[in-house]
Amino acid sequence: MEILRVEHLHKVYENGSSRVEALRDVCLSAEKGELVAVTGPSGSGKSTLLHLIGGVERPTAGAVHIGGVDIHRKTRAGLAVFRRRQIGLVYQFYNLIPSLSVEENILLPLRLDGRRVNRDYLEELLCLLKLQDLAGQLPGMLSGGEQQRAAIGRALIAAPALVLADEPTGSLDRRGSQEIMGLFKIFRQKYKQTIIIVTHDEDIARQADRRVEICDGRLAGAR
């Protein structure tokens, strides 16, 4: 079952007389439960692609369909609600709120959306992330790997169909990186979530079901 379809995506950034084509006619799709790695050199457009898929930025042209919904046809407010409910975002630098506990950070998307907390699912998530004993701790008291696991919990608490991760292991050592990849594989299998990971790490890319490469804003190949 197709969860994601990207059609002829194009993104141009303009600043005065300067014009940069960040993405050029990119088309791709992903199935339910698929783990896809997006690779390519720095500045190739990988993160731009992820931001457009995630609704963080709007394309200059083209469409992004998630679960059959053309997300960029939504209003700004409608897209914000859709993103909270259907898309989980994980970044390299965690972006946790330092004054909130691990549990409060994880629950933030539900609080913002005014939704009821499923305590059974929360406890299951904390257990899978090995954070059950750290739920009351502040982010500053955690290791980098623990903070990234909390960020993953925040991305997954709404049980989104699609999880987008931008260099999620970039700040971690080899052991921490493998732990994070292990978690993504568990969630992909257990919850049938589609996961797209932008990475420079060849070892991480090899563990994906499929790999696509971006070069100079274009889809260079798949293997």
Side-chain angles (χ1 to χ4, degrees):
M1 176 182 175
E2 184 182 77
I3 291 295
L4 170 69
R5 179 159 45 92
V6 173
E7 297 180 326
H8 306 290
L9 210 57
H10 198 82
K11 181 64 177 179
V12 176
Y13 294 103
E14 296 191 36
N15 184 11
S17 61
S18 176
R19 186 175 187 273
V20 177
E21 288 187 288
L23 284 182
R24 310 177 191 185
D25 197 35
V26 172
C27 299
L28 62 86
S29 64
E31 300 292 315
K32 182 176 181 179
E34 189 175 19
L35 176 58
V36 180
V38 179
T39 63
S42 295
S44 61
K46 303 186 301 300
S47 292
T48 298
L49 174 61
L50 213 68
H51 293 161
L52 294 176
I53 292 173
V56 178
E57 298 184 48
R58 290 190 180 269
T60 304
V64 175
H65 298 266
I66 297 176
V69 176
D70 186 346
I71 68 169
H72 292 295
R73 287 189 177 272
K74 289 183 168 290
T75 64
R76 184 183 298 273
L79 180 55
V81 172
F82 184 89
R83 191 167 55 234
R84 284 199 300 268
R85 296 178 179 178
Q86 297 296 330
I87 305 170
L89 296 168
V90 181
Y91 296 100
Q92 179 178 351
F93 296 111
Y94 325 136
N95 293 338
L96 299 174
I97 297 177
S99 60
L100 299 182
S101 69
V102 166
E103 181 173 313
E104 289 168 335
N105 268 286
I106 289 174
L107 292 176
L108 190 58
L110 296 185
R111 302 298 192 200
L112 291 172
D113 211 22
R115 299 170 66 188
R116 183 180 64 85
V117 176
N118 182 332
R119 299 301 304 187
D120 290 337
Y121 177 58
L122 173 62
E123 293 302 322
E124 179 179 69
L125 200 55
L126 288 170
C127 184
L128 288 170
L129 293 165
K130 299 180 181 178
L131 292 173
Q132 63 269 42
D133 295 329
L134 299 172
Q137 299 291 330
L138 296 176
M141 303 178 70
L142 306 182
S143 69
E146 290 165 345
Q147 290 187 63
Q148 188 61 294
R149 295 205 299 273
I152 290 172
R154 180 183 57 197
L156 295 178
I157 191 62
L162 180 65
V163 178
L164 306 174
D166 193 357
E167 297 284 359
T169 64
S171 299
L172 306 177
D173 60 19
R174 179 59 53 187
R175 179 179 176 181
S177 297
Q178 292 306 316
E179 287 179 350
I180 296 303
M181 277 304 295
L183 286 169
F184 281 135
K185 291 176 183 178
I186 290 171
F187 293 126
R188 180 268 305 268
Q189 182 175 15
K190 187 175 181 65
Y191 303 120
K192 307 303 180 187
Q193 289 164 317
T194 302
I195 302 174
I196 299 180
I197 300 177
V198 164
T199 184
H200 281 99
D201 190 321
E202 285 292 322
D203 186 49
I204 296 298
R206 281 194 294 268
Q207 297 179 58
D209 299 319
R210 181 162 55 97
R211 171 177 173 172
V212 296
E213 186 174 356
I214 302 289
C215 185
D216 292 330
R218 297 184 185 275
L219 195 63
R223 57 182 182 273

